Every structure is written in C-alpha cells, then in structure tokens.
Amino acid sequence: MNKLLSLLIVCVVSWQALAQDERYFRQLFSGELNKKGKSDARKYSWSVHTPYYSLDLNRDGKEEQIVFVKKDNEDWIEILDSEKNKIFGHIFENKGYDSELFRIELKTLNAITDVLLLYYYEGVSKYIDFQGTARIYAITIDNRDLKTLSLFKGSSFFDEVKTFKGHYHKRNYEVYLEDLNRDETKELIIKHRNASTVFIYKGQGKWQTFNQNQK
C-alpha cells in the first residue's frame, strides 16, 4: 500500500512538473513571456527631447538620427537608424540641474574607425559650494558597422567652482585628436596648460588612458 501511495505521489508531481514545463514552452514560443517582460519596463512620468540631428555614422549614404532625451531626472542619448529604429541608448551621469548635451562632432580615428564626440554639461551643484562640470564621451564605430557602436566615458574638459570660503576658478580644457605615436590612429587628448590626459583607442570599443605632464 505504501509503495502504491508513493508511486501515485511521484506520478502526480511528475505530471504537475510536465504541465508547468508545457505551459512555459507554450508561453515562450507564443511570445507571451516577452510581452510580460516588456510590461516590467520602467515607466517615466515625463519625457522631452531635442530635435533629431541627422548624421551618416557608417558612411553608407543613409543618415542616422541622434537625439538627446530627458526622462524624469535622467539624461539619455539615443541613436536611430535610417528606418527610425532605435539602435543605441545610453544614460549620462548628471551632477545637478541644467545638464545638457550641447555639442556633437563626428571625427575619424583611423581608416576603419570613426568616433562621435559628445560634449556633455553635467549640471550645476549648489549644495554648499557652487560647481559646474562638463565631460567628454566618445562613441566609436568600427568597420562602418553600426552594430559595433560603443560608448566610452572620458574626463572633464570644463570645471567651474566657487567655494563657500570665496575661492573661484573656471578652467576650460582643449579637446582634440592627434596621432601622437604615429601608428595611424589618432588619440583623444584633453589638455589644460601643461597637463594632458590622453586616451588611446585599442579597438573594439576599448580605450587606454594615461596622464602626461610637460615641464
């Protein structure tokens, strides 16, 4: 009797597991699971954006579109392909109010890589001291392939500070590309007076950083 009861329990548990598996695979192949996942996406209370700016990022004669979007307290850059499909999105790290993406430049690093330079003002903080900073971001495109879009967060190129004790300074840094090591790939350089931060592109969206001081 005990053996029969154990067998019945095993059969019931196995049937329930099979039924659950069947429901899971039915949802998976019907797309129901994907629909449930989409419903869990974050919902924003408000969203505004700049005009759409057109650039041919992969040099194929078809223009992609770039837009800066504010969603609640978040700042985003989004890129759409020539058919208006979103292919890239990244959230900036803002530090206060009045943050904005105020300049975009498409440049060439080497024969197979282009870079989209993003000049982003991180905002103003006035908690105790006043501080406003701007930072460079770089989106690389390798081999004219939009699937390789990759974003790199660079260093600050603008800094304005006014302290509670009365100290004030405003620093504007130079931002430019130059092939310093003559390897036919330009480096991204952020320079202030005799101090420079140099970013070397290593390919596949990866960068190497080093600081350089000139006497």
Side-chain angles (χ1 to χ4, degrees):
M1 182 65 181
N2 290 335
K3 291 183 178 179
L4 179 60
L5 182 60
S6 298
L7 180 60
L8 288 173
I9 292 173
V10 170
C11 289
V12 170
V13 172
S14 299
W15 182 86
Q16 289 177 340
L18 288 172
Q20 289 175 352
D21 288 344
E22 183 182 354
R23 284 195 296 270
Y24 173 82
F25 285 111
R26 187 166 58 247
Q27 290 175 339
L28 178 63
F29 288 109
S30 67
E32 290 179 27
L33 290 181
N34 292 333
K35 292 178 182 177
K36 290 180 180 179
K38 290 181 180 179
S39 65
D40 293 333
R42 176 174 177 180
K43 295 181 180 179
Y44 294 91
S45 58
W46 59 269
S47 175
V48 295
H49 62 81
T50 64
Y52 288 84
Y53 300 99
S54 298
L55 282 173
D56 185 1
L57 297 178
N58 58 347
R59 318 287 188 178
D60 66 348
K62 299 178 182 179
E63 292 185 333
E64 287 70 46
Q65 293 188 328
I66 302 167
V67 62
F68 176 65
V69 186
K70 282 187 172 289
K71 306 175 184 180
D72 293 349
N73 64 334
E74 297 177 355
D75 292 349
W76 286 79
I77 181 171
E78 296 180 354
I79 299 177
L80 287 68
D81 64 16
S82 58
E83 297 180 354
K84 307 297 188 296
N85 298 310
K86 180 180 172 181
I87 57 174
F88 183 86
H90 182 84
I91 182 172
F92 293 105
E93 297 179 26
N94 63 45
K95 295 183 177 180
Y97 64 91
D98 285 345
S99 57
E100 63 175 338
L101 178 64
F102 65 90
R103 185 177 177 184
I104 297 174
E105 291 181 330
L106 181 60
K107 300 283 189 178
T108 297
L109 288 182
N110 57 37
I112 62 170
T113 302
D114 291 322
V115 62
L116 190 65
L117 297 178
L118 310 176
Y119 296 76
Y120 175 67
Y121 186 64
E122 297 177 305
V124 174
S125 172
K126 289 185 177 180
Y127 178 63
I128 296 177
D129 300 330
F130 172 94
Q131 184 173 24
T133 55
R135 185 175 299 272
I136 197 77
Y137 287 77
I139 298 178
T140 48
I141 309 104
D142 291 326
N143 301 307
R144 308 290 188 260
D145 186 355
L146 295 177
K147 294 180 181 179
T148 67
L149 287 170
S150 180
L151 183 140
F152 172 75
K153 179 182 176 182
S155 60
S156 297
F157 64 88
F158 173 82
D159 180 36
E160 184 178 14
V161 173
K162 184 176 182 180
T163 68
F164 178 75
K165 295 182 179 180
H167 169 76
Y168 176 80
H169 73 251
K170 181 189 287 187
R171 295 171 183 159
N172 283 293
Y173 297 66
E174 295 180 70
V175 180
Y176 60 97
L177 299 176
E178 184 178 342
D179 185 4
L180 297 175
N181 56 3
R182 301 293 186 265
D183 65 348
E184 298 185 352
T185 296
K186 295 178 181 178
E187 284 72 51
L188 171 61
I189 304 164
I190 315 295
K191 183 178 180 180
H192 178 66
R193 296 181 180 175
N194 295 326
S196 300
T197 302
V198 180
F199 302 98
I200 303 172
Y201 188 61
K202 309 300 289 185
Q204 298 182 339
K206 298 178 181 178
W207 296 77
Q208 181 180 352
T209 307
F210 72 91
N211 296 316
Q212 184 180 49
N213 292 312
Q214 300 174 348
K215 295 182 180 180

